[in-house]
Amino acid sequence: MARTVGIGHQNFEQLITNHNFYIDKTEFIREWWENQDVVTLITRPRRFGKTLAMSMVEQFFSLKYAGRGDLFEGLAVWEEEKYRKLQGTYPVIALSFADVKESSFSGIREKICRILKKLCDDWDFVLQTDFLKEGEAELLRNVSVEMTDAAASYVLKVLSSCLERYYGKKVIILLDEYDTPMQEAWLSGCWDEAAGFFRSFFNAAFKTNPSMQRGLITGITRISKESIFSDLNNLEVITTTSEKYAPYFGFTEQEVFKALEEMGLGAEKQGVKSWYDGFAFGRLKDIYNPWSITNFINKNGEYNAYWADSSSNGLVNSLIRRGSSNVKEMMEMLLNGKSIEVELDEQIIFEQLDEDENAIWSLLLATGYLRVEELERRGRLLEKVYRLHLTNMEIESMFSKMVQSWFKNSLPEYNGFIKALLCDDKKAMNIYMNKVALSTFSSFDVGKKPSETAEPERFYHGFVLGLLVELKSRYILTSNRESGYGRYDVVLEPRKEGDAAMILEFKVHDPEEEKSLADTVKSALAQIEEKRYAAMLEEKGIRPEYIRKYGFAFEGKKVLIG
């Protein structure tokens, strides 16, 4: 009989006691323990089982779960006697920053203090004993939102010391979703304050803490050591390209296909592979997102973008929307099913996200939206060059929705423009396009260092992405890019015989060469003829009378189409 698939389980005990669908990942406990790394940071995309794994580790080691071997009976970790003896024998401090999503440093700090207060309340029976020294008792019994930053940063270290004396054993510290507040801090403009606070917090808890036996940290991104881990030289970092622990977060293809057979969905294997496969950790390929698979099974085989719809993509959305023309061109390539090549550092340096374009691709790789097709070392210094591709159809669907959201403030006008374009109604095209530009123009250039010359490029490169997404079912969109001021050519080749093809030439008004926008339009149309952009379409059998040619002239937020 097939097991019940419960959605959203993050507590290992509940999952096991309810006999819900579960794929055994307890071998991670043995491997992590035997590696003997002092502090391990594991980064994986969201919804890849990090929180459930932390719950599993806590309930295996924690004294609070002493005698609960029933949770692990029949699972891989329970096969060796020494691990059966290890279960429930350590004081474990477990906390999560998953809900720390406040939009100011004061809000972030307050939420952290409340988490620390709840932690101390959980250990209140220890704090009421004589095992506390005078200064420790004062600190831990007065944890509150009013405490100083310095005091807050020492809570975990002091609590560890008290627990070690009480139990006669060093503690295990588990911190889940460590980087959630850091992402919110960057989006909210309070990065520097937050980074200073967390630098002290992590140093006290994980570096200068003699009462800690092991530390395990999870998150989505690998924030650079210089940003918040500057003092942690005892940190073992495991990213998506690392070999360690590759099988323990996410489902392997063998595990997925076995589950589909169990649930009577064996006929859907290839469809599931197309939609949800594509993740890779280290050299281990064909990894699937657990959230998508469990939802697919729960919905009895209904295909949908479950993972993409499960959480906010605010940081990624912001970076791509306001990214340079080069970023948007590369996104166009990805959405057209092509790969891109970039040099990147897997560390996320938040301070450089607005200046370093490659940091965007580092973030997209860490979040699971891109997969590594190939990693090469090139040049005399053996720089790492990554060939990246959209992970799967689910991610393509997510990015399409993200691009559509850029025009949500002008949706009726945007849809009106698309209809006018298809109907060759130039008057309506001009009316709607100007409304779209006026409404959405500034949202494409809201970085810390906006550039007047970059604004038109950012807008119409974003606009082209919108065309690609909206018209993909009817047209093959290709672009002929050339370096130079304000050039961008677009060719829309119809998928259906009899539909008109279109050539769009974008040009920024140059007052030194053109008196008016109308002159800029003429210049754009002349360029289409001079460079014979229609030749490619004619070679494919499209007759000249079925090829429309448009010149788009930009001046600030004003647009003229001819």
Side-chain angles (χ1 to χ4, degrees):
M1 181 179 177
R3 293 166 290 175
T4 301
V5 177
I7 301 299
H9 279 290
Q10 296 183 321
N11 185 295
F12 182 77
E13 179 185 15
Q14 290 180 359
L15 193 68
I16 297 301
T17 55
N18 289 335
H19 304 290
N20 289 134
F21 171 77
Y22 172 67
I23 291 178
D24 185 1
K25 300 292 181 179
T26 59
E27 184 68 14
F28 168 75
I29 296 171
R30 184 197 61 77
E31 190 171 325
W32 175 64
W33 194 250
E34 293 189 1
N35 279 327
Q36 298 186 26
D37 298 312
V38 178
V39 183
T40 306
L41 167 62
I42 300 177
T43 66
R44 288 292 185 268
R46 57 188 170 83
R47 301 290 191 178
F48 260 79
K50 298 186 298 294
T51 299
L52 180 60
M54 292 294 254
S55 174
M56 174 187 75
V57 171
E58 178 191 4
Q59 291 168 17
F60 183 82
F61 287 103
S62 177
L63 283 157
K64 294 180 180 180
Y65 286 83
R68 291 304 312 274
D70 60 294
L71 296 177
F72 299 92
E73 287 179 5
L75 300 176
V77 74
W78 210 244
E79 292 175 3
E80 290 188 53
E81 183 179 356
K82 69 176 183 178
Y83 284 96
R84 294 198 291 271
K85 291 181 178 179
L86 191 60
Q87 195 275 323
T89 58
Y90 275 88
V92 176
I93 298 174
L95 64 161
S96 171
F97 288 165
D99 294 329
V100 185
K101 299 180 179 179
E102 277 58 37
S103 58
S104 66
F105 175 65
S106 60
I108 290 171
R109 186 190 173 286
E110 178 180 335
K111 195 70 170 281
I112 296 294
C113 288
R114 293 190 185 280
I115 290 171
L116 296 175
K117 177 68 168 66
K118 172 66 166 57
L119 198 61
C120 290
D121 289 344
D122 290 343
W123 293 101
D124 184 64
F125 64 94
V126 176
L127 305 186
Q128 300 302 323
T129 67
D130 295 333
F131 284 88
L132 273 70
K133 297 176 182 177
E134 184 175 343
E136 296 173 339
E138 183 180 358
L139 174 68
L140 297 179
R141 290 170 185 165
N142 291 284
V143 173
S144 69
V145 297
E146 288 81 25
M147 69 192 310
T148 66
D149 290 357
S153 68
Y154 268 85
V155 170
L156 290 187
K157 182 175 183 178
V158 173
L159 180 59
S160 300
S161 177
C162 298
L163 294 178
E164 182 187 15
R165 288 197 301 275
Y166 184 86
Y167 289 108
K169 295 190 76 168
K170 294 182 185 295
V171 304
I172 295 172
I173 302 178
L174 308 177
L175 173 57
D176 191 29
E177 302 290 358
Y178 87 99
D179 56 338
T180 297
M182 305 307 297
Q183 292 189 37
E184 296 298 327
W186 189 85
L187 280 170
S188 305
C190 58
W191 167 264
D192 291 338
E193 287 179 288
F197 173 80
F198 284 108
R199 192 178 298 115
S200 298
F201 183 91
F202 291 129
N203 181 55
F206 294 102
K207 169 62 178 176
T208 62
N209 187 352
S211 298
M212 183 188 69
Q213 179 73 29
R214 300 277 180 87
L216 181 59
I217 306 170
T218 67
I220 295 173
T221 57
R222 175 189 177 184
I223 299 177
S224 73
K225 185 175 180 181
E226 291 72 26
S227 296
I228 59 173
F229 292 131
S230 56
D231 295 315
L232 265 70
N233 55 15
N234 61 340
L235 188 65
E236 170 72 349
V237 180
I238 310 297
T239 67
T240 56
T241 58
S242 303
E243 299 299 323
K244 270 187 178 180
Y245 312 127
Y248 305 128
F249 297 85
F251 296 162
T252 65
E253 186 161 275
Q254 183 180 7
E255 291 167 340
V256 170
F257 285 2
K258 184 178 178 181
L260 292 175
E261 291 287 355
E262 177 186 342
M263 301 299 174
L265 295 169
E268 301 298 327
K269 288 177 183 177
Q270 290 309 308
V272 167
K273 185 175 180 64
S274 297
W275 264 84
Y276 305 115
D277 184 20
F279 299 95
F281 300 145
R283 286 193 292 265
L284 185 61
K285 309 296 183 183
D286 297 317
I287 300 292
Y288 293 69
N289 179 284
W291 179 259
S292 300
I293 297 304
T294 52
N295 274 276
F296 177 81
I297 293 173
N298 188 58
K299 296 290 185 181
N300 198 32
E302 179 182 330
Y303 293 95
N304 208 337
Y306 299 109
W307 183 55
D309 291 338
S310 68
S311 182
S312 169
N313 300 299
L315 180 57
V316 168
N317 192 339
S318 172
L319 288 170
I320 295 176
R321 186 188 71 245
R322 69 198 205 195
S324 70
S325 58
N326 185 55
V327 168
K328 292 186 177 69
E329 286 172 9
M330 294 173 84
M331 278 303 304
E332 182 191 326
M333 291 175 66
L334 290 167
L335 284 169
N336 270 321
K338 299 175 182 176
S339 299
I340 60 172
E341 284 193 353
V342 293
E343 291 183 26
L344 57 82
D345 185 343
E346 288 187 57
Q347 295 186 107
I348 307 297
I349 304 175
F350 276 80
E351 301 95 309
Q352 297 180 7
L353 281 177
D354 266 327
E355 290 81 25
D356 181 6
E357 287 185 359
N358 283 350
I360 296 176
W361 310 118
S362 299
L363 181 65
L364 291 175
L365 177 60
T367 49
Y369 299 146
L370 298 178
R371 57 181 166 86
V372 178
E373 285 194 329
E374 189 176 3
L375 172 57
E376 291 185 34
R377 287 190 175 268
R378 297 179 186 172
R380 188 170 61 86
L381 299 178
L382 298 177
E383 291 93 347
K384 288 183 176 181
V385 179
Y386 294 74
R387 191 163 78 235
L388 304 173
H389 195 279
L390 287 184
T391 303
N392 51 36
M393 289 174 63
E394 185 177 32
I395 303 303
E396 181 183 340
S397 171
M398 185 209 78
F399 275 120
S400 295
K401 290 177 182 178
M402 185 188 75
V403 170
Q404 289 170 331
S405 75
W406 295 348
F407 302 96
K408 65 181 179 181
N409 292 331
S410 59
L411 191 58
E413 291 81 9
Y414 183 69
N415 290 337
F417 171 81
I418 297 294
K419 290 178 182 177
L421 175 66
L422 293 173
C423 295
D424 193 24
D425 185 344
K426 286 184 286 294
K427 182 177 179 180
M429 285 169 65
N430 274 283
I431 293 171
Y432 287 123
M433 185 63 177
N434 276 278
K435 289 181 178 180
V436 171
L438 187 65
S439 177
T440 64
F441 195 96
S442 58
S443 71
F444 285 92
D445 192 32
V446 292
K448 294 178 182 177
K449 297 181 180 179
S451 162
E452 288 186 9
T453 59
E455 283 185 357
E457 286 193 10
R458 293 182 193 225
F459 171 76
Y460 62 70
H461 282 76
F463 182 72
V464 168
L465 276 172
L467 290 177
L468 169 62
V469 167
E470 291 295 334
L471 298 175
K472 197 170 186 178
S473 62
R474 291 188 60 172
Y475 286 89
I476 300 169
L477 186 147
T478 56
S479 54
N480 173 29
R481 307 176 192 91
E482 245 181 56
S483 60
Y485 182 62
R487 271 208 72 247
Y488 201 80
D489 308 311
V490 176
V491 174
L492 291 164
E493 179 187 340
R495 296 182 184 274
K496 182 182 175 183
E497 188 176 348
D499 281 353
M502 302 178 212
I503 300 172
L504 281 57
E505 174 69 21
F506 294 84
K507 204 166 184 63
V508 175
H509 174 64
D510 185 348
E512 293 183 3
E513 295 186 5
E514 300 137 3
K515 290 182 180 180
S516 66
L517 278 178
D519 290 334
T520 307
V521 170
K522 290 178 182 177
S523 176
L525 292 171
Q527 197 161 295
I528 292 175
E529 299 302 330
E530 289 167 9
K531 302 228 172 179
R532 299 196 68 245
Y533 293 148
M536 176 192 74
L537 296 169
E538 291 173 7
E539 288 172 4
K540 293 187 176 183
I542 299 175
R543 287 155 43 192
E545 60 266 31
Y546 281 89
I547 301 174
R548 301 183 201 156
K549 301 162 186 176
Y550 299 100
F552 284 64
F554 288 85
E555 184 180 25
K557 295 185 180 183
K558 290 191 295 183
V559 187
L560 181 65
I561 305 170

